[in-house]
Amino acid sequence: MKKINLKGNNLTKAIALLLVSCLAIGLVSSTAIKLASATYYLKYKRELKTEIPFVDNLIGIVTGNNNLITGPQTDNTDDDQPADTPADDSQSADSQTPTETPDASEPDASTPDASTPDASTPDNGGSGEADGEGEGEGEGEGDSSGGLGDILGSLTGILGSLTGGGGSGEEESTTPTEPVTDSAETIKQKKAVLSEYSDVVNYAKKVGMPSFKKVTYRSLDKGFADGFLLHSVESAYPDYFISKENAEAAPVIVPANEKTSELLIDNQYYACMLASDKASDAIESATSVKLEDGTKKVVITLRSEANPEITPADAKKAVSYTSSMFPVLSSDIIAEKVNATLKLSSIESASVTYQNCTVELIYSPVTKRIISIKQTTSYVGEVKDKVFTCKGTVTEVSEYSDFDYGII
């Protein structure tokens, strides 16, 4: 086999540039194997002199060899300075060590990932290995310019801050949100709006008993992967997952002067059962504004609630915040419905979280008569079988209109 001649300047420069390129790619991709291989070859196998100051300086910094070039090559042995630092023949290599490449060493001293091995993550595995190598070489040789660990630690920190995968511990950590505590003024305002809303809808339920039209439609939003388990749920329950167009074509008409479970919640006595003293705990936001035509608009949004209990139709006190104002389904019902649509699997557990449940009421403050209501109920159902876990968000909208109180 013919031996390749590495003496030629052009070939030497090409090989050096190739190795430096490998090192650069290794730093960017955090591939420790590339770095270790290239560094080992440069340091222990062959010292390459390209006569290109930038390339030779970079090779020297990475390998820890004292071959840095600050200008034209001479016999001066004091050549351990970084490329961007003017040469000073009066100082020794050892005396320059504390001040050399401050940008490369300072991030390792202040960043938890560099000083604490346990703080490194699998994504930054290259940086953790580089830090260990840098410490060993820096302490053992003493005269290397910064060391491989310092260079890699600095570059890894910079790359991490740009990509979101590194940086300081403060950037990576997530600060837990403290529980929201309403001010006394906010609590008073929520109670007032809830009282206003309850008074109007409960009056309609128990006294006014108007006729009205109700249109209810539902949709299921699921991701691509979730669709494998939930792909046939909508088609299996066409009476539940009904489009807005189909619902408007067949509305529910409630006659006047009759008790009904169609107004807001399924209860014999109330259309709203949320107690006033629970307003702050249950309500995320509540507003009441006067419109230009003299009517008022009340908007109430509840806080999220996981697995709320269903308040019975004959109950006089609500057993959960959500069911006191919105129709709810239990996680058991959701699991049963989904499980009935599966062919090759079965649901082992399920949960449901109601969120962003909002009601909008427009009424006449003079007569206390409802003009319209829009009730939006949203819940996220999660089901699990032996292998998969999937989620789907169901949005249910009920629109109430054409209220007629008669002569009352």
Side-chain angles (χ1 to χ4, degrees):
M1 181 176 179
K2 186 177 178 179
K3 185 177 181 180
I4 299 176
N5 184 14
L6 298 178
K7 299 297 184 179
N9 289 334
N10 292 335
L11 183 57
T12 299
K13 294 177 181 180
I15 293 174
L17 289 173
L18 180 60
L19 292 173
V20 170
S21 299
C22 290
L23 290 173
I25 295 173
L27 289 174
V28 173
S29 63
S30 298
T31 306
I33 295 177
K34 294 179 182 179
L35 292 173
S37 300
T39 304
Y40 180 85
Y41 181 85
L42 285 172
K43 184 172 182 180
Y44 296 104
K45 293 296 183 181
R46 191 176 303 276
E47 278 193 21
L48 297 177
K49 296 292 185 178
T50 67
E51 297 182 0
I52 303 175
F54 170 77
V55 176
D56 288 338
N57 285 340
L58 183 57
I59 294 174
I61 291 174
V62 173
T63 61
N65 292 327
N66 297 331
N67 62 349
L68 299 184
I69 301 174
T70 59
Q73 286 183 296
T74 64
D75 294 335
N76 185 8
T77 59
D78 187 14
D79 54 3
D80 287 332
Q81 303 175 24
D84 58 349
T85 304
D88 186 357
D89 295 340
S90 62
Q91 296 181 354
S92 65
D94 292 337
S95 64
Q96 293 175 2
T97 301
T99 59
E100 286 179 342
T101 60
D103 293 337
S105 60
E106 289 180 2
D108 288 295
S110 60
T111 304
D113 288 347
S115 60
T116 306
D118 293 338
S120 62
T121 63
D123 291 339
N124 292 332
S127 63
E129 181 177 341
D131 291 342
E133 184 177 349
E135 291 176 0
E137 290 182 3
E139 293 177 0
E141 295 180 5
D143 58 350
S144 64
S145 179
L148 179 60
D150 292 338
I151 300 297
L152 297 184
S154 177
L155 292 178
T156 302
I158 295 173
L159 292 173
S161 64
L162 293 176
T163 61
S168 65
E170 294 180 356
E171 295 176 352
E172 293 180 352
S173 62
T174 56
T175 303
T177 303
E178 294 295 331
V180 178
T181 302
D182 291 333
S183 64
E185 182 180 356
T186 300
I187 295 175
K188 181 179 179 181
Q189 185 256 351
K190 287 183 177 180
K191 286 183 176 181
V193 174
L194 175 61
S195 177
E196 179 182 356
Y197 170 80
S198 298
D199 186 34
V200 173
V201 298
N202 286 333
Y203 171 80
K205 176 81 172 184
K206 296 185 290 186
V207 181
M209 295 185 180
S211 63
F212 59 89
K213 181 175 70 174
K214 178 181 180 181
V215 173
T216 300
Y217 48 94
R218 302 177 186 88
S219 62
L220 172 61
D221 183 17
K222 55 185 182 296
F224 176 77
D226 298 324
F228 286 103
L229 283 181
L230 303 177
H231 70 283
S232 60
V233 171
E234 289 174 281
S235 60
Y237 303 100
D239 294 336
Y240 185 77
F241 293 104
I242 184 173
S243 66
K244 182 178 181 180
E245 293 76 15
N246 291 339
E248 289 176 339
V252 175
I253 304 299
V254 177
N257 301 317
E258 289 188 10
K259 292 183 177 181
T260 179
S261 61
E262 296 290 346
L263 185 59
L264 296 168
I265 59 174
D266 181 12
N267 186 265
Q268 298 176 7
Y269 310 105
Y270 302 99
C272 177
M273 302 180 69
L274 184 60
S276 177
D277 60 348
K278 303 297 183 181
S280 178
D281 296 333
I283 296 175
E284 177 70 25
S285 62
T287 59
S288 177
V289 297
K290 190 172 183 178
L291 304 181
E292 293 181 356
D293 60 359
T295 61
K296 295 192 71 175
K297 181 178 181 179
V298 174
V299 180
I300 297 176
T301 300
L302 295 189
R303 303 186 191 274
S304 298
E305 186 175 16
N307 299 312
E309 294 185 46
I310 300 176
T311 299
D314 59 351
K316 293 186 178 181
K317 184 177 180 181
V319 295
S320 66
Y321 297 147
T322 307
S323 67
S324 67
M325 292 183 64
F326 296 86
V328 300
L329 295 177
S330 68
S331 59
D332 292 337
I333 294 177
I334 293 175
E336 178 185 349
K337 299 300 183 184
V338 174
N339 197 53
T341 66
L342 302 179
K343 302 297 184 182
L344 302 177
S345 182
S346 61
I347 300 302
E348 294 190 343
S349 64
S351 63
V352 59
T353 300
Y354 280 80
Q355 58 187 25
N356 301 320
C357 294
T358 302
V359 62
E360 300 177 5
L361 164 69
I362 297 178
Y363 76 100
S364 171
V366 177
T367 61
K368 204 163 61 175
R369 293 183 174 185
I370 300 173
I371 297 173
S372 67
I373 301 176
K374 183 177 181 180
Q375 183 187 46
T376 303
T377 310
S378 178
Y379 65 86
V380 178
E382 179 180 284
V383 293
K384 299 180 180 180
D385 68 354
K386 293 181 179 180
V387 178
F388 300 102
T389 298
C390 65
K391 293 181 180 180
T393 301
V394 176
T395 301
E396 174 183 305
V397 179
S398 293
E399 298 178 351
Y400 303 80
S401 59
D402 298 345
F403 285 85
D404 187 356
Y405 286 77
I407 61 175
I408 298 179

